Amino acid sequence: MSEAVNSRTVTLAEAETRIIRAFRKQRPVFLWGLPGVGKSELMTRIARLETLGKTALLDVRVALMEPTDLRGMPFYNKDSGMMEWAPPVDLPSEEYASKFDTVILFLDEMNSAAPAVQAAAYQLTLGRRVGQYKLPDNVVIVAAGNRESDKGVTYRMPTPLANRFVHLEVRVDYDSYFNWAVENKIHEDVLGYISFAKGDLCDFDPRSSGRSFATPRSWTYVSEFLEDEDDASESELTDLISGCVGEGVAIKFMAHRKIAKDMPNPADILAGKVKELKVKEISAQYALTVGMCYELKDAYDKFGKKDSKKFHDLADNFFRFMMDHFPTEMTVMGARMAITNYNLPFQANKLKHFKEFFDRFGKYVVKAMED
């Protein structure tokens, strides 16, 4: 099955628009992609979109199911004298669906399910019903699974079932990951390192015998360990990070962190207390840029609307410091992150260094935002 979908791929951001369009026609979508690419996170993001109205996301792990979990359980109705089917509890009832504008039924790990379970899913997808159960009209279906070439536990999908889906294969994409990571406050050391070493965002190789490898999902695990590192030794952190992304990437990442620790505090830079930068290591500068953006967003959330002058003083130090110490690519990344990802409302007339910044970097920032 994977051979049929390998020829064309989409990013997570592109997959989002395609899925929404398929929803309008009530066509089921199948998302293919390597382990940890972000398929589940994409569905969570889509479920939060205001364009779908009030939305519920039902995440059903099909690989863990028996056929009766989808079809329901047969029982004898003594009143009618006939065999009937008790509806499955994991599928939305009419009463439940009526509370929402859209209900997304996410059938995850579908091609890892046993053939008998896939047969029940086939009925549900083909006719929007299985046994005596019928899907409510406002329910849309998205399924997901790993490709056969990923060497996971998969069963070849029956051709009639495959033909009922709109197939999209998702590829790892730095820009999509960056936007998601900023929105979800992934640790600045992780995002800074990945911004410098984009190739280490994902190093999955199905031919490798390694148990751990870098993917967007495993970098999220790394971020979680770093958020709670105060009482962790260097050796303990290295072991945990190696267990997430593999030993080779972990060693490079820990070397990056040693340098990043010597960088100034982002809050001190925004406050104007630090105006010099001695460390010139690029990966550490990326991490510092991300840290400053996080700090600036937090500052705006705390008092930006109440004290515009204070916020713009911090923002002015942010732009000044980047102009003085960072290369163009990194300066543009910081500005784009603050403006596009966080939608911070900078006012040019309240920034002393705005004209200089715009003259030097404006055209690059505009192009980056358009891209």
Side-chain angles (χ1 to χ4, degrees), residues 84 100 116 120 185 193 205 214 232-233 258 349 357 371:
E84 296 185 9
F100 303 93
K185 275 305 219 22
Y193 176 76
D205 182 356
S233 67
K258 287 182 180 178
N349 62 340
F357 180 86
D371 292 343

Side-chain angles (χ1 to χ4, degrees), residues 58-61 65 69-70 87-93 105 107 133:
L58 299 182
D59 191 337
V60 178
R61 303 285 165 155
M65 288 186 153
D69 293 332
L70 281 178
V89 69
D90 290 315
L91 299 180
S93 65
L105 181 60
L107 304 175
Y133 170 80

Side-chain angles (χ1 to χ4, degrees), residues 173-356:
D173 172 67
Y174 166 76
D175 288 333
S176 296
Y177 173 77
F178 179 88
N179 293 333
W180 177 87
V182 169
E183 181 181 334
N184 289 273
K185 275 305 219 22
I186 293 300
H187 196 281
E188 59 264 28
D189 283 353
V190 170
L191 194 47
Y193 176 76
I194 294 300
S195 296
F196 167 72
K198 296 181 176 66
D200 286 342
L201 173 57
C202 180
D203 68 347
F204 173 69
D205 182 356
R207 297 167 296 181
S208 172
S209 60
R211 298 184 182 91
S212 53
F213 46 88
T215 66
R217 176 168 58 200
S218 59
W219 279 115
T220 299
Y221 299 164
V222 172
S223 176
E224 291 170 350
F225 286 128
L226 295 181
E227 295 291 351
D228 188 29
E229 64 168 323
D230 290 345
D231 60 346
S233 67
E234 189 80 1
S235 176
E236 184 179 7
L237 268 181
T238 301
D239 288 341
L240 290 170
I241 293 172
S242 178
C244 294
V245 297
E247 184 178 7
V249 174
I251 290 173
K252 291 189 291 181
F253 176 72
M254 293 303 288
H256 150 79
R257 290 202 77 223
K258 287 182 180 178
I259 300 172
K261 283 182 178 179
D262 294 331
M263 301 298 273
N265 188 316
D268 291 340
I269 295 174
L270 297 186
K273 298 177 182 178
V274 175
K275 299 183 183 296
E276 300 296 327
L277 183 64
K278 297 180 180 179
V279 179
K280 301 301 180 182
E281 172 64 36
I282 296 296
S283 67
Q285 291 183 5
Y286 270 111
L288 180 59
T289 305
V290 173
M292 286 196 297
C293 287
Y294 284 172
E295 193 71 30
L296 192 61
K297 174 63 164 60
D298 287 343
Y300 178 73
D301 290 341
K302 290 177 183 177
F303 58 78
K305 296 179 181 179
K306 299 178 181 178
D307 193 341
S308 178
K309 183 182 183 307
K310 183 176 180 180
F311 167 71
H312 280 88
D313 285 345
L314 298 177
D316 203 51
N317 290 329
F318 168 70
F319 287 112
R320 180 73 267 170
F321 192 87
M322 290 195 299
M323 285 192 292
D324 288 344
H325 300 291
F326 293 158
T328 298
E329 179 185 356
M330 201 176 308
T331 303
V332 171
M333 185 196 81
R336 175 178 174 268
M337 183 175 172
I339 296 170
T340 303
N341 294 98
Y342 282 146
N343 198 28
L344 296 178
F346 300 121
Q347 298 178 39
N349 62 340
K350 294 184 179 181
L351 295 170
K352 292 183 294 184
H353 302 107
F354 177 80
K355 185 180 185 305
E356 179 184 352

Side-chain angles (χ1 to χ4, degrees), residues 26 58 91-105 124 127-129 133-141:
Q26 212 173 55
L58 299 182
L91 299 180
S93 65
E94 287 285 355
E95 179 183 1
Y96 176 82
S98 67
K99 301 175 183 178
F100 303 93
D101 298 304
T102 306
V103 177
I104 302 173
L105 181 60
L124 188 65
R128 295 183 59 81
R129 65 188 309 150
Y133 170 80
K134 182 178 181 299
L135 277 177
D137 291 339
N138 63 333
V139 175
V140 291
I141 297 176

